[in-house]
Amino acid sequence: MKISGLEKFSMVDFGEKICATVFTPSCNFACPFCHNGDLALNKNIALISEKDVLEYLSQRKNLLDAVVISGGEPTLQADLPSFLTEIKKLGYVIKLDTNGSNPYVLKKLVHDGLVDFVAMDIKNSLTAYPVTVGKPDADLDAVKKSVDFLLSDAVDYEFRTTLVAEFHDEKNIKETANWLKGAKIIYLQQFVEKDTCICAGLHPVPVKTAMHYAEILNRTIKTVKLRGY
């Protein structure tokens, strides 16, 4: 499997679990605010040996609780199931970060017991999705199928939206609240501009506005939390 990065120790990527985070290259979206721009666009990426990553995880299995698979978009990797199988053999809990664009892959990973927790990015309301993900032809049906699957409680999950002033407004938030009705939890994340973002000059949503958006979402979603504010 193609691996482009390994964060060997983290206490913030998976709740209170001590974890390692594995990053995969390439993404089928091009969100302007993505802070892993080179990773998503697969530009100037040096790869890490899968064998080396598995050896590290084997050596640390008594010190780490979990492994997070992030990207890029991990479900684009054809070898992802076999890689996760090897991690499971080591006894780890696995969290998958995904944009939800490959619902059939997502379902199979869950049904095969290879993923214990899913964090799915909700980029925006469906009407604003194409511009927000930088893809006019974005497959919204695929995204909706992934959302419906997670809403079925087949696996523990969270939704998360990175708020960007240029892309998110009250209308979009209200549409998102209607779309995700009955969801267990969503995090509203503060956007932080970095040199690695795909596009420069974007701005975070102010905390007061984010709190207002949280109130709107809380009408239909059980738990709404701010992250990074």
Side-chain angles (χ1 to χ4, degrees):
M1 191 178 83
K2 292 183 178 180
I3 299 172
S4 51
L6 172 64
E7 186 174 357
K8 294 184 175 180
F9 182 89
S10 173
M11 297 182 68
V12 298
D13 287 341
F14 193 177
E16 297 180 353
K17 291 181 174 61
I18 301 172
C19 63
T21 302
V22 176
F23 296 92
T24 65
S26 301
C27 187
N28 48 355
F29 290 165
C31 306
F33 50 89
C34 177
H35 64 262
N36 283 337
D38 286 351
L39 196 66
L41 300 177
N42 203 15
K43 294 169 53 180
N44 304 316
I45 298 299
L47 298 180
I48 300 173
S49 164
E50 178 180 333
K51 179 181 177 182
D52 289 346
V53 173
L54 290 173
E55 285 183 356
Y56 173 80
L57 295 176
S58 178
Q59 294 166 2
R60 297 297 189 274
K61 62 183 179 180
N62 294 322
L63 301 174
L64 300 172
D65 303 317
V67 177
V68 176
I69 310 296
S70 192
E73 174 50 42
T75 62
L76 297 178
Q77 302 294 327
D79 295 334
L80 181 60
S82 60
F83 180 62
L84 297 184
T85 298
E86 294 304 312
I87 295 175
K88 272 297 179 183
K89 288 179 182 178
L90 297 173
Y92 284 107
V93 175
I94 297 177
K95 173 193 171 192
L96 175 68
D97 291 344
T98 181
N99 62 22
S101 61
N102 290 306
Y104 300 109
V105 173
L106 174 61
K107 291 177 183 179
K108 182 165 178 53
L109 292 175
V110 171
H111 289 156
D112 289 349
L114 297 177
V115 170
D116 304 286
F117 188 95
V118 176
M120 178 178 166
D121 292 319
I122 301 297
K123 303 297 185 177
N124 210 331
S125 66
L126 288 170
T127 56
Y129 236 82
V131 66
T132 307
V133 302
K135 294 287 183 178
D137 59 347
D139 187 350
L140 300 186
D141 284 338
V143 173
K144 288 190 286 186
K145 286 176 181 176
S146 290
V147 166
D148 290 343
F149 175 66
L150 295 180
L151 289 178
S152 74
D153 286 325
V155 64
D156 200 8
Y157 72 91
E158 70 177 43
F159 293 129
R160 57 193 189 183
T161 297
T162 299
L163 295 175
V164 183
E166 284 77 8
F167 294 100
H168 298 94
D169 57 26
E170 185 170 323
K171 177 178 180 292
N172 291 329
I173 295 299
K174 286 181 177 178
E175 291 179 1
T176 301
N178 184 59
W179 174 27
L180 302 181
K181 184 177 181 180
K184 179 170 56 179
I185 187 168
I186 187 169
Y187 287 89
L188 298 180
Q189 302 180 151
Q190 184 181 40
F191 167 69
V192 178
E193 186 176 25
K194 297 182 179 181
D195 292 340
T196 54
C197 289
I198 289 180
C199 292
L202 300 176
H203 301 87
V205 167
V207 63
K208 288 186 177 179
T209 304
M211 292 174 66
H212 176 57
Y213 291 168
E215 291 174 355
I216 294 172
L217 290 165
N218 210 199
R219 298 169 189 168
T220 61
I221 297 173
K222 298 173 184 177
T223 302
V224 183
K225 294 184 177 182
L226 301 186
R227 179 180 279 161
Y229 280 95

